[in-house]
Amino acid sequence: MLSSMKGLFFIKKTEINKENKARILTRVTIDGLNAQFNTKYKVVSTKWDTANTKGKGRLNQAQETNGLFENIPDILIKYYWEILNTENLLLQRK
């Protein structure tokens, strides 16, 4: 069973608050099916690098934000492989 998985971060530009901050969301795609969730973090919309899906700049806030999100792809991949392995074990038992 071949599967593909991608994950990315993006900001919700349509919901910018009075402080010019937008929510950071994560989108996970597995075999063409999308799911997205709110990371519960916000960033100043002009300080978000859309192409690289991370905070811009060398300020503490940008580095702190990027550091928080560094581990999320690894965690998602870990759970993805756990699900695949569990699914394979269940199929083998049938």
Side-chain angles (χ1 to χ4, degrees), residues 2-41:
L2 294 174
S3 297
S4 65
M5 180 186 139
K6 292 181 187 177
L8 66 91
F9 299 104
F10 64 99
I11 61 169
K12 186 109 180 186
K13 291 181 181 179
T14 58
E15 295 180 12
I16 296 174
N17 68 13
K18 294 176 187 175
E19 298 166 341
N20 198 28
K21 289 187 175 184
R23 293 185 297 152
I24 300 173
L25 302 170
T26 300
R27 179 179 298 130
V28 179
T29 305
I30 299 175
D31 291 338
L33 298 173
N34 292 327
Q36 65 185 45
F37 58 91
N38 185 0
T39 63
K40 307 256 178 161
Y41 290 95

Side-chain angles (χ1 to χ4, degrees), residues 33-51:
L33 298 173
N34 292 327
Q36 65 185 45
F37 58 91
N38 185 0
T39 63
K40 307 256 178 161
Y41 290 95
K42 293 182 180 180
V43 66
V44 176
S45 61
T46 57
K47 297 292 183 184
W48 184 255
D49 183 351
T50 304

Side-chain angles (χ1 to χ4, degrees), residues 63-80:
Q63 290 180 348
E64 185 178 315
T65 301
N66 292 337
L68 290 169
F69 298 121
E70 267 182 12
N71 296 329
I72 290 178
D74 295 334
I75 293 167
L76 292 173
I77 289 168
K78 176 187 165 206
Y79 285 119
Y80 172 70

